[in-house]
Amino acid sequence: MRCRRPGYPAAAAVFAVGMAGTTLPTPLYGLYQEEIGFSELMVTVVFAVYAVAVITVLLVAGNYSDEVGRRPVLLCAMALSAASAGCFLLQNGLPLLFTGRLLSGGAAGLLSGAATAAVIELAGPGQKARAGFAATAANMGGLGCGPLLSGIVAQYTPWPLTLPFWIHLGLVAVASGVTWFLPETVTETKRWPPLAPQGVRVPPEVKGVFAPASLAAFAGFALLGLFTAVAPSFTSRTLGVDNLAVSGAVVFCVFLASTLGQSLTRRVGARRALPAGCAVLVAGLLLVASSLISESMLLLVLGALCGGGGQGLAFRAALTLIGGAAPAPHRGGTISAFFVVAYAGISLPVVGVGALATWLGLRPAGLIFTAFVMLLAACAGTYAARRPPAST
């Protein structure tokens, strides 16, 4: 009897494992600071290296799986993810931390395109909508599960800086085995063709929707960057909560809410979801700022849930509108340009928070950050509400 080959849920599981590895170090940065000795600014720089690697891979090899096939690129991403875990296991200073984050960003850049495409293409007739949400859930859910896993392991086992990465290596080995048996969805593959960088292209017919959509994505990813890079420092130094499992759970909340927000976009409609998501994002940021002023963990969690939900709602709406407005020959380049802006949002403002924290302290830096991102989200939402993009 012929064995049934794995379908889109298996590809989504591979996607989730790969993305979980990119956020695995989040609750551990405080331990690395104690062991190695570096400033809060350096924490954000180490984090930003990841975003730079993602952007570079998106621009240079974002469409490479269209040429060589999904499976080889997924296996390459798994290899980079394993190498990143190896760097953290062997680390004895900042150089290997930087190397680990670079490799992790490379894996995420490859997965963003190849895994998303594989999940959708492996779906059968009538399964495309579910597969699209599976790809979204795998992406954001994987990002959220990374800090939750490492926070629990680091808090409740004797090996806080090693066991999380050994567990991840085991998961990567299983995911690699699953990937090997995934059906190849690219019919005409080439054997390692030369890279053809896409660059950043925004066709004239997309510019009207690109500005508010990319600004909303920048603001939403800035919120994700804040929670991923410095939320553990906020919870320990500002709120006085030193439990690493709690820090990981707070970061998990923002990505869980983002996944739920993205699941609502289709019901709301992309045109209405973009300004609505920005409004919810602003409300979430207000809650985050209030948590810093009142030193309230409850308000921080509510801010994570509200802000993450708004980010997810606006992000999927923005991606839908841009993808629909872009002409087919330039769609890949246009979406790559959109992701470049989004990942700039996950790195640049967060580095600014690190710089301000060394000068003013974490709480004033966090308040300035939230005010800045609220202004961006409010501008994007107001523009989208007053000049709604055409239906796509």
Side-chain angles (χ1 to χ4, degrees):
M1 181 181 292
R2 186 177 176 181
C3 294
R4 185 179 178 184
R5 304 195 75 177
Y8 79 88
V14 171
F15 195 2
V17 168
M19 297 309 292
T22 67
T23 52
L24 206 61
T26 295
L28 310 178
Y29 286 132
L31 300 179
Y32 288 127
Q33 279 183 283
E34 293 176 7
E35 183 179 279
I36 302 172
F38 51 85
S39 67
E40 199 66 43
L41 173 61
M42 191 55 64
V43 173
T44 57
V45 171
V46 169
F47 175 77
V49 163
Y50 158 80
V52 171
V54 175
I55 292 171
T56 302
V57 171
L58 281 171
L59 292 177
V60 174
N63 61 347
Y64 202 55
S65 69
D66 295 332
E67 303 287 333
V68 301
R70 312 299 181 206
R71 193 165 50 203
V73 173
L74 290 178
L75 288 171
C76 183
M78 290 297 104
L80 290 177
S81 188
S84 172
C87 287
F88 280 97
L89 285 170
L90 298 172
Q91 69 79 27
N92 55 2
L94 280 172
L96 278 178
L97 287 186
F98 277 113
T99 304
R101 293 305 287 161
L102 277 171
L103 293 169
S104 184
L110 292 177
L111 286 166
S112 296
T116 301
V119 171
I120 294 171
E121 290 166 354
L122 286 170
Q127 295 181 321
K128 296 297 182 184
R130 279 183 290 172
F133 179 67
T136 293
N139 191 343
M140 290 297 169
L143 289 169
C145 287
L148 183 64
L149 169 65
S150 60
I152 292 173
V153 171
Q155 183 66 37
Y156 299 114
T157 72
W159 311 282
L161 294 180
T162 57
L163 187 55
F165 299 101
W166 281 117
I167 293 173
H168 181 61
L169 280 174
L171 292 173
V172 167
V174 173
S176 299
V178 172
T179 302
W180 184 262
F181 290 101
L182 286 176
E184 179 54 68
T185 56
V186 178
T187 54
E188 296 182 5
T189 61
K190 300 176 183 178
R191 188 173 179 82
W192 306 119
L195 291 171
Q198 300 176 82
V200 177
R201 293 173 291 182
V202 180
E205 54 266 51
V206 185
K207 289 182 178 177
V209 66
F210 188 86
S214 58
L215 189 60
F218 185 97
F221 271 59
L223 175 73
L224 298 183
L226 175 74
F227 274 90
T228 309
V230 293
S233 296
F234 281 143
T235 56
S236 63
R237 298 187 187 182
T238 304
L239 304 181
V241 178
D242 295 320
N243 190 300
L244 297 177
V246 172
S247 299
V250 170
V251 180
F252 173 76
C253 285
V254 73
F255 286 105
L256 174 65
S258 176
T259 303
L260 295 175
Q262 291 187 47
S263 72
L264 297 174
T265 302
R266 200 173 177 188
R267 296 182 184 179
V268 177
R271 295 178 69 198
R272 288 181 293 177
L274 184 58
C278 289
V280 177
L281 176 59
V282 169
L285 287 161
L286 281 171
L287 287 169
V288 172
S290 300
S291 75
L292 296 175
I293 294 171
S294 61
E295 299 185 8
S296 168
M297 174 60 76
L298 175 62
L299 286 177
L300 182 64
V301 173
L302 291 175
L305 292 171
C306 185
Q311 183 274 337
L313 191 64
F315 174 71
R316 190 170 181 187
L319 192 57
T320 300
L321 291 168
I322 286 177
H330 302 290
R331 186 166 291 134
T334 304
I335 292 175
S336 290
F338 172 74
F339 272 105
V340 167
V341 176
Y343 274 99
I346 212 172
S347 56
L348 296 177
V350 173
V351 174
V353 170
L356 286 172
T358 59
W359 178 33
L360 301 173
L362 272 173
R363 184 186 298 178
L367 292 172
I368 293 171
F369 170 88
T370 52
F372 169 70
V373 179
M374 274 192 289
L375 178 62
L376 292 181
C379 289
T382 302
Y383 184 93
R386 297 187 64 179
R387 300 180 62 181
S391 298
T392 57

